[in-house]
Amino acid sequence: MERVPILKIGDILLVSIQLDMSDQTAVQLQEDLAERIVATGCHGVIIDITALDIVDSFVGRMLSTIASISKVLDAETVVVGMRPAVAITLVELGLSLNGIRTALNVERGMELIAAAHAEELDYQLDDEPDAETATP
Amino acid sequence: MTAGIDLGQPQAQSVRSDEDVVRVRQLVRAVAVASKLSLVDQTKLVTAASELARNTLVYGGGGSVEVTVVDNGRRKGVQIVFADSGPGIADLDLAMTDGYTSGGGLGLGLSGSRRLVDEFQIETSAETGTRITVTKWSR
Ligand SMILES: Nc1ncnc2c1ncn2[C@@H]1O[C@H](COP(=O)(O)OP(=O)(O)OP(=O)(O)O)[C@@H](O)[C@H]1O
Ligand SMILES: [Mg+2]
């Protein structure tokens, strides 16, 4: 079985799917990513599907699952590079990529993740003084 | 691979593993490209084929796929037959409903692929298994 490589770039894991994945390869990618998120402490995952000429219900479900798993592990997932014909087909198939954030390309994806992470840090900072004033 | 395809002949691919489902996608794509379907139509047909071939494998216990270039005198198209000798589909209306799955799927394979093609035909019984024929015509 072929395996999809996962690259670490700064605080982000980048997965660029270059092959027509078998279902088994897709499931393996899901597991590999969860392990890498924990091992690296990365806060963002970018899945680049520019090379994919179709996304069927199995791969669609895998993308949703990865997004949910990474959320639980405190990382944001962004899917980038979806081809127009793939988007049209997905809608007609009836697949709503639930909980999946998308961006046009890797660069935009990185901006999205950076923004989401900054917001979260901000929120934590804002929260602390409030919590202190609340304690008598 | 594409170069070796004789479009005058039906192209067969057995479906015994999930690697075979990948091969079905590649075969359908090659024939769809050679038949000059538009990019969107190629994408829809390959996606439908992926769904139906996976069903053949998962629920039909494996089977075969045959891809043929067809011509109705006005237009050319691609026809695909998915056949298995599995248990058949007991309640077809239910199985064709968006979101119905007897497994852990999304229940979009049958209903969704019907929307992605121009013609969709099912013959199914417990005795003979399931045979699905889909056709996509060039515009
Ligand atoms: N070839 C087949 N033989 C027997 N039963 C089938 C076959 N194809 C589909 N079915 C039945 O029809 C149901 C619906 O199929 P469909 O492809 O729409 O959904 P799914 O495979 O369960 O999920 P998804 O395709 O979205 O992952 C299946 O759960 C299964 O019970
Ligand atoms: Mg299915």
Side-chain angles (χ1 to χ4, degrees), chain B residues 31-139:
Chain B
V31 176
V33 170
S35 311
K36 302 203 164 52
L37 290 191
S38 74
L39 180 59
V40 170
D41 285 344
Q42 288 168 29
T43 307
K44 288 181 179 180
L45 187 63
V46 175
T47 305
S50 184
E51 295 297 337
L52 297 173
R54 182 179 295 109
N55 282 353
T56 299
L57 177 68
V58 174
Y59 302 111
S64 64
V65 169
E66 205 174 81
V67 188
T68 313
V69 176
V70 287
D71 193 330
N72 67 0
R74 289 194 311 118
R75 295 193 287 179
K76 263 173 61 163
V78 179
Q79 186 168 76
I80 316 172
V81 179
F82 304 81
D84 65 62
S85 38
I89 303 174
D91 188 338
L92 198 51
D93 285 344
L94 185 61
M96 290 299 301
T97 308
D98 264 354
Y100 172 79
T101 176
S102 66
L106 296 171
L108 290 174
L110 283 178
S111 52
S113 52
R114 175 155 72 173
R115 284 190 289 270
L116 293 173
V117 297
D118 296 319
E119 285 165 33
F120 187 100
Q121 201 191 353
I122 295 194
E123 297 150 68
T124 185
S125 75
E127 293 74 37
T128 59
T130 301
R131 183 184 171 90
I132 299 181
T133 306
V134 302
T135 312
K136 190 93 186 156
W137 297 104
S138 61
R139 322 253 139 230

